[in-house]
């Protein structure tokens, strides 16, 4: 799986998922787009090495790592810097944003209501909810990405739904 | 979609939820699923891919990445080397062109600088420099330069003669004598004011030769005295 076409297909199929994953964890559409771009530039650079299986898991892993680095640097007292877009900068690509989408996210009441509810979930429940309900991944896939057992995924998804039900009444 | 729905319902039922409750939770799951409508436009995504392709055309495979790496490392080096070669070429060209310049020309300082360097490396070049200074005087009279530039040319010549006052090399001495002869020939062809300047210059050369002569004489005397002193000592030692 090292051809240009494969990469393009992967980008078109998975980039929105990565975007949503980051967006629901950060509530920041611009940051989500920056990280999405960074994820795929990194993926593209290493495309030749990748054997093609578990691409979803691989992309989510990259996204998660970048997000963790971002939170670490944000929490650091001495650091005021934003997410490091070193891959994007190195590739010479200027960040850009789908402004229509950003506007829709901020103005659509239904999206806002559900996003707010998701935001209030604890981190572990939020991640399962996003991957399971928004992205319609199987419990097995979610387990691979989050490095937990399928059983754990089912327990967490149930808890997430119960909490969401209370919040969305 | 139906599989997903069925699977999720089964999973919820396994969590000991009643059918009603499980259905209820399933509805919540589908509400959350509405968030999958958050998508960037196809044009936006294609635009990103185009940018990526434009910036790094060969980036997908190892060969492509190596090609990009080569470009990143090699091209700046090639540019730097090419730039250095061009600068060197321009410098040599300027120095070569400057050799024919005379006082008042833009490249004349380059000529003087290069002569200083060559003299240090090859002392015999001093002879050539004296010939050049003489030639410059001739050219400046031919070109009818302004008085200031003409005077500057004369001063350069005098300075060169002064620099060679202590010069022992016979070739340099001969070159000075020849230049004096050239100036003697030249002065008769010139207007009065320039003729006077040339005569002063020749006088300057004569004085310089006199000074040199005195120094040679003095040196000779000192040597004689030193030799006499040695001989006296020897004869005194013999008597003892």
């Amino acid at each position: 799986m090292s051809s240009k076409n494969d990469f393009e297909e992967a980008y078109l199929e998975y980039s929105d998922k990565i975007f949503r994953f980051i967006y629901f964890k950060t509530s920041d559409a611009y940051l989500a787009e920056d990280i999405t771009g960074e994820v795929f530039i990194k993926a593209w650079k290493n495309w030749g090495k990748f054997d093609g299986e578990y691409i979803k898991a691989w992309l989510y892993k990259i996204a998660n790592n970048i997000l963790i680095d971002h939170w670490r640097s944000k929490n650091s007292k001495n650091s005021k810097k934003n997410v490091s877009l070193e891959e994007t900068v190195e590739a010479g690509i200027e960040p850009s944003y789908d402004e229509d989408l950003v506007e829709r996210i901020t103005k659509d009441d239904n999206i806002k209501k559900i996003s707010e509810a998701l935001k209030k979930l604890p981190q572990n429940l939020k991640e399962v909810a996003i991957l399971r309900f928004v992205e319609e991944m199987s419990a097995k896939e979610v387990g691979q990405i989050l490095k937990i057992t399928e059983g754990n995924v089912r327990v967490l998804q149930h808890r997430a739904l119960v909490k969401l039900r209370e919040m969305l009444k | 979609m139906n599989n997903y729905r069925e699977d999720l319902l089964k999973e919820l039922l396994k969590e000991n939820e009643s059918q009603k409750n499980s259905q209820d939770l399933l509805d919540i799951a589908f509400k959350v699923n509405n968030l999958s409508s958050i998508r960037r436009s196809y044009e936006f995504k294609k635009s990103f891919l185009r940018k990526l392709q434009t910036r790094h055309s060969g980036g997908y495979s190892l060969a492509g990445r190596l090609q990009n790496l080569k470009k990143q490392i090699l091209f700046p080096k090639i540019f730097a080397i090419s730039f250095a070669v061009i600068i060197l070429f321009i410098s040599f060209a300027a120095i070569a062109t400057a050799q024919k310049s005379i006082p008042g020309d833009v490249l004349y300082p380059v000529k003087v600088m290069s002569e200083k360097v060559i003299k240090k490396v090859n002392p015999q070049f001093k002879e050539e420099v004296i010939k050049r200074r003489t030639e410059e005087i001739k050219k400046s009279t031919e070109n009818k330069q302004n008085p200031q530039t003409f005077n500057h040319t004369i001063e350069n010549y005098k300075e060169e003669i002064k620099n060679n006052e202590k010069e022992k090399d016979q070739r340099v001495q001969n070159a000075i004598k020849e230049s004096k002869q050239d100036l003697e020939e030249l002065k008769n062809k010139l207007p009065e004011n320039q003729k006077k300047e040339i005569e002063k210059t020749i006088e300057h050369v004569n004085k310089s030769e006199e000074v040199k002569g005195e120094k040679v004489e003095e040196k000779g005397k000192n040597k004689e005295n030193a030799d006499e002193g040695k001989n006296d000592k020897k004869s005194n030692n013999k008597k003892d």
Side-chain angles (χ1 to χ4, degrees):
Chain A
M1 195 178 191
S2 60
S3 75
K4 184 172 144 182
N5 286 339
D6 288 339
F7 177 82
E8 282 185 13
E9 273 176 31
Y11 179 78
L12 292 171
E13 187 178 345
Y14 297 119
S15 63
D16 285 328
K17 294 180 190 295
I18 299 295
F19 175 86
R20 287 190 292 261
F21 180 69
I22 303 294
Y23 173 68
F24 293 129
K25 290 180 108 174
T26 62
S27 304
D28 185 338
Y30 295 107
L31 178 62
E33 188 57 58
D34 286 341
I35 293 178
T36 304
E38 190 75 0
V39 166
F40 280 91
I41 292 170
K42 244 185 188 163
W44 166 83
K45 275 175 84 172
N46 294 292
W47 200 250
K49 289 186 216 168
F50 186 67
D51 67 3
E53 260 190 282
Y54 309 118
I55 182 171
K56 241 192 265 181
W58 183 51
L59 292 170
Y60 276 105
K61 186 182 169 188
I62 299 172
N64 231 8
N65 288 343
I66 294 173
L67 194 52
I68 288 168
D69 287 342
H70 165 66
W71 281 329
R72 272 191 194 139
S73 67
K74 214 178 165 187
N75 288 337
S76 160
K77 285 178 188 174
N78 295 327
S79 171
K80 289 180 186 174
K81 57 179 184 177
N82 292 324
V83 66
S84 164
L85 299 179
E86 51 187 56
E87 300 291 350
T88 309
V89 169
E90 199 191 299
I93 294 174
E94 272 184 41
S96 59
Y97 310 99
D98 186 341
E99 296 291 348
D100 292 338
L101 175 65
V102 174
E103 200 181 322
R104 193 160 68 85
I105 289 172
T106 46
K107 288 186 177 169
D108 187 315
D109 289 333
N110 205 30
I111 289 175
K112 272 165 71 176
K113 190 178 171 188
I114 301 169
S115 301
E116 281 301 314
L118 261 182
K119 200 176 163 182
K120 288 174 187 170
L121 287 176
Q123 188 70 11
N124 59 341
L125 300 187
K126 191 195 299 184
E127 284 176 345
V128 170
I130 293 167
L131 296 176
R132 196 78 176 89
F133 310 136
V134 180
E135 306 305 339
E136 295 182 13
M137 287 189 195
S138 66
K140 183 181 175 184
E141 282 177 319
V142 175
Q144 278 170 357
I145 290 167
L146 299 180
K147 303 251 187 302
I148 53 178
T149 62
E150 276 185 60
N152 243 357
V153 171
R154 291 192 186 105
V155 167
L156 292 174
Q157 76 185 10
H158 182 259
R159 285 186 201 165
L161 285 172
V162 167
K163 279 196 183 290
L164 283 168
R165 184 171 57 181
E166 285 165 31
M167 287 191 270
L168 293 172
K169 267 182 188 171
Chain B
M1 179 75 164
N2 282 335
N3 279 344
Y4 165 72
R5 194 177 206 162
E6 281 169 20
D7 290 342
L8 189 55
L9 187 61
K10 282 180 194 171
E11 286 164 16
L12 291 172
L13 285 168
K14 274 185 185 175
E15 295 299 317
N16 297 317
E17 286 286 345
S18 65
Q19 183 78 22
K20 187 183 180 294
N21 259 351
S22 298
Q23 192 62 52
D24 217 19
L25 293 177
L26 197 64
D27 290 341
I28 298 292
F30 292 138
K31 271 186 183 170
V32 176
N33 184 252
N34 286 333
L35 295 177
S36 62
S37 67
I38 296 174
R39 282 171 206 188
R40 292 109 85 246
S41 70
Y42 181 75
E43 291 76 26
F44 177 82
K45 286 182 269 194
K46 283 301 259 185
S47 155
F48 176 84
L49 286 168
R50 267 196 302 273
K51 284 182 204 174
L52 202 56
Q53 282 166 28
T54 313
R55 292 290 172 177
H56 281 277
S57 53
Y60 297 104
S61 62
L62 178 64
R65 282 185 290 122
L66 282 172
Q67 193 186 20
N68 286 333
L69 197 65
K70 235 165 79 172
K71 278 184 197 171
Q72 282 168 21
I73 293 171
L74 204 58
F75 281 13
K77 274 193 182 164
I78 290 173
F79 178 76
I81 291 167
S82 307
F83 185 72
V85 166
I86 289 168
I87 294 294
L88 270 170
F89 178 75
I90 291 171
S91 304
F92 282 128
I95 292 169
T97 311
Q99 301 313 307
K100 292 179 185 172
S101 61
I102 59 173
D105 290 347
V106 169
L107 290 176
Y108 187 73
V110 175
K111 178 181 180 180
V112 171
M113 197 64 78
S114 63
E115 283 170 358
K116 282 182 185 170
V117 172
I118 297 170
K119 271 195 278 187
K120 282 197 174 167
V121 170
N122 178 16
Q124 288 172 11
F125 192 70
K126 290 177 188 173
E127 181 193 341
E128 173 63 27
V129 173
I130 290 165
K131 288 179 185 172
R132 285 179 173 204
R133 295 290 94 87
T134 316
E135 202 51 43
E136 281 164 16
I137 294 176
K138 285 185 191 171
K139 277 189 183 166
S140 74
T141 59
E142 283 164 22
N143 293 349
K144 291 179 186 174
Q145 281 182 333
N146 65 55
Q148 208 176 3
T149 313
F150 177 72
N151 289 342
H152 185 43
T153 312
I154 298 287
E155 286 309 314
N156 286 350
Y157 175 83
K158 285 181 185 175
E159 197 183 316
E160 198 58 41
I161 297 298
K162 192 178 175 188
N163 288 345
N164 288 299
E165 262 177 13
K166 296 178 186 176
E167 188 53 54
K168 293 174 190 174
D169 191 337
Q170 198 54 47
R171 278 177 291 199
V172 173
Q173 299 311 315
N174 291 342
I176 292 174
K177 279 183 186 161
E178 273 179 38
S179 80
K180 216 171 73 172
Q181 281 170 9
D182 288 343
L183 292 178
E184 289 280 3
E185 284 172 25
L186 178 67
K187 74 177 184 186
N188 297 322
K189 300 174 191 172
L190 298 175
E192 204 51 44
N193 57 336
Q194 284 187 337
K195 186 177 174 182
K196 279 185 183 172
E197 282 302 320
I198 298 291
E199 281 169 350
K200 280 183 192 172
T201 306
I202 294 168
E203 238 178 81
H204 176 87
V205 177
N206 290 338
K207 275 185 187 170
S208 176
E209 282 179 328
E210 275 173 27
V211 166
K212 201 183 296 148
E214 281 171 17
K215 281 184 181 170
V216 167
E217 225 178 272
E218 203 178 300
K219 220 178 175 180
K221 277 185 184 172
N222 287 341
K223 201 185 170 195
E224 268 181 44
N225 291 339
D227 286 343
E228 269 181 40
K230 276 184 191 172
N231 289 339
D232 284 343
K233 269 187 185 172
K234 275 185 188 172
S235 60
N236 285 340
N237 286 342
K238 273 186 183 171
K239 278 183 188 174
D240 291 341

